[in-house]
Structures are given as C-alpha cells and as structure tokens.
Amino acid sequence: MNDTLKNIDTSLLDVPLTEDKLRAAEVAHPPRILMLYGSLRERSYSRLTTEEAARLLTAMGAEVKIFNPSGLPLPDDAPETHPKVAELRELVLWSEGMVWCSPERHGAMTGIMKAQIDWIPLTSGAVRPSQGKTLAVMQVSGGSQSFNAVNQMRILGRWMRMITIPNQSSVAKAWAEFDEDGRMKPSPYYDRIVDVMEELMKFTLLTRGRSDYLTDRYSERKESAAQLSERVNQRSI
C-alpha cells in the first residue's frame, strides 16, 4: 500500500481516472423528464409555468410527463402502495431528469411540493431512485422576486444526490405574466425559463448513460466490500 494513502483501501480507489471511463453507454430513447409542481389551485401559476416549460422541453426533443399531485396523501399517512404514491415513484424511476416548480408560500416552498419530494425514497432495495438524475428548480411568487423556494429545493436536490443545474427561474408577480388562456406572455422571465430548460437538456444529455459512474463513491464501494466479506466469511447457520 502506498504509505501516503495509508488511511484508505487503495484497491477500491478508482484510479486512474480516464476519459474512457466517462464514455457514455448508448441511449436510444429521448431524454425523459418528470415535472412536479406545487399548487392545486384551479389557476395554479406553478402548474402553468410547468406546462409552459414542458412545451419547451418537448420542442427540444424530450419526452415529458407531468405529475398531478391532487390526491397524493401526506407522507407517512398512507402506505407506499397508495395509487398516487406508486404513480409518483414509477415516474421517478422512469425519468432521467426532473423539473421542480413551487410557489413561494410563507417564505418557503409549499407543503404540496415538499410532500411529493418526501414520497421519493432515497433508497428502494438496491436502487437509489433519484441519484444521478438531473434537476432544474423554478418558483413563482405573488409579489416581488424571491429565491427562497428554489434555494430550498436545491438543498433537497443535493441531499437526494441529484445533478442540480446551475441556472434557475423565479417568476415575480406571476399573476401578471400569463394571459387568459394560461399561456405565458413574452418577457425576460419567459426567456429565463427557456434558458433553464435548454441547460437542463444539455446536462441530461451529457450525463445520461454515465450517471451511475459519475455518482459512484469510494465510501460506498468500501462499505459494499465489507458487507460482501462478512457475508462470504460468515459461518453456516
């Protein structure tokens, strides 16, 4: 063992790091993007913003699915077999990237938004449903521009081991940014959403087919090796 690295198991270290290891596996289908929004109002501006972003992503070549949170129970108030919970989790597994869009309420994301995120498990058997997926965050506000909700969602995205893109969108006075048909008017806010969706697509295309390798960790390889050794060497019961 290299004396300069005496505190780690060098046999588990991913060396050397090369471009060949980062070569993506071929993926034939369009980028799969799941979109979540955080309001159930009849005229929900987070939903309208999400739908506008979905149109952009579709035009850019993505396959998009929007989850309707109506009927989703509070976390821990229903079994995991609840139809809405099962639907959400299946969509998460299907997706390669996500968009989260929440109103800001009382200086934070809404409970509806947080409930959806809380129903996404960090682990499901040997699968980490959110790890390595790309994420874009957006928010809408009834008043002046704020970034409280997007900042909170960034923290959650990092906690869930998602690749959260640098750009984001915050639409101030959202009630003034949509016409009677629910379509967003031309504005710098709309242009920013275009920017965010373009960036999400680029990061998704760059990372899919290689996200498992990008999120592979020494500490987890070490833990897995120890568990394997314990299982293999345990005495017969």
Side-chain angles (χ1 to χ4, degrees):
M1 177 180 291
N2 188 331
D3 289 340
T4 63
L5 299 174
K6 60 183 180 180
N7 293 326
I8 67 171
D9 184 346
T10 54
S11 68
L12 297 175
L13 196 63
D14 187 6
V15 291
L17 288 171
T18 65
E19 290 185 0
D20 283 343
K21 290 182 178 180
L22 287 166
R23 190 165 295 157
E26 185 175 348
V27 182
H29 59 75
R32 296 170 175 171
I33 307 297
L34 170 62
M35 310 190 77
L36 309 180
Y37 60 90
S39 169
L40 296 178
R41 291 177 175 175
E42 183 176 353
R43 187 170 171 84
S44 163
Y45 293 109
S46 63
R47 176 177 56 79
L48 293 177
T49 302
T50 295
E51 291 173 349
E52 203 68 50
R55 295 183 187 100
L56 292 166
L57 287 169
T58 300
M60 295 172 191
E63 182 181 358
V64 178
K65 294 186 179 181
I66 301 174
F67 177 72
N68 180 354
S70 180
L72 183 71
L74 290 172
D76 304 325
D77 197 35
E80 296 177 359
T81 55
H82 187 283
K84 291 297 291 189
V85 175
E87 178 190 354
L88 174 60
R89 291 186 171 189
E90 287 172 7
L91 287 172
V92 170
L93 290 173
W94 166 85
S95 70
E96 296 169 306
M98 291 191 228
V99 179
W100 297 348
C101 182
S102 177
E104 180 169 320
R105 186 172 297 167
H106 300 313
M109 78 180 82
T110 62
I112 294 167
M113 190 76 238
K114 184 63 161 58
Q116 293 174 81
I117 298 169
D118 284 347
W119 270 119
I120 300 171
L122 288 176
T123 59
S124 180
V127 178
R128 289 187 172 87
S130 57
Q131 178 167 308
K133 298 182 188 295
T134 53
L135 173 65
V137 293
M138 305 192 297
Q139 75 168 73
V140 296
S141 302
S144 58
Q145 191 173 44
S146 172
F147 299 94
N148 290 325
V150 289
N151 288 339
Q152 288 182 323
M153 290 187 285
R154 281 190 176 279
I155 292 172
L156 290 171
R158 183 175 71 245
W159 183 259
M160 298 173 74
R161 301 183 180 181
M162 302 182 74
I163 302 168
T164 309
I165 68 170
N167 213 341
Q168 62 188 26
S169 170
S170 175
V171 181
K173 296 181 180 179
W175 49 270
E177 296 301 320
F178 292 84
D179 62 24
E180 293 181 358
D181 296 326
R183 296 301 304 272
M184 195 168 186
K185 302 173 185 176
S187 72
Y189 292 133
Y190 183 87
D191 292 345
R192 173 57 69 89
I193 292 174
V194 178
D195 290 346
V196 174
M197 294 306 106
E198 280 189 345
E199 189 169 290
L200 176 66
M201 283 289 287
K202 291 174 183 177
F203 272 79
T204 303
L205 289 167
L206 280 169
T207 57
R208 72 176 187 156
R210 53 169 67 92
S211 62
D212 287 344
Y213 180 68
L214 287 170
T215 54
D216 181 48
R217 299 182 176 189
Y218 165 80
S219 59
E220 292 173 353
R221 293 194 298 275
K222 180 181 177 182
E223 181 183 11
S224 297
Q227 291 172 343
L228 176 62
S229 176
E230 181 180 355
R231 178 173 60 82
V232 170
N233 294 316
Q234 68 181 352
R235 295 179 178 179
S236 299
I237 298 175

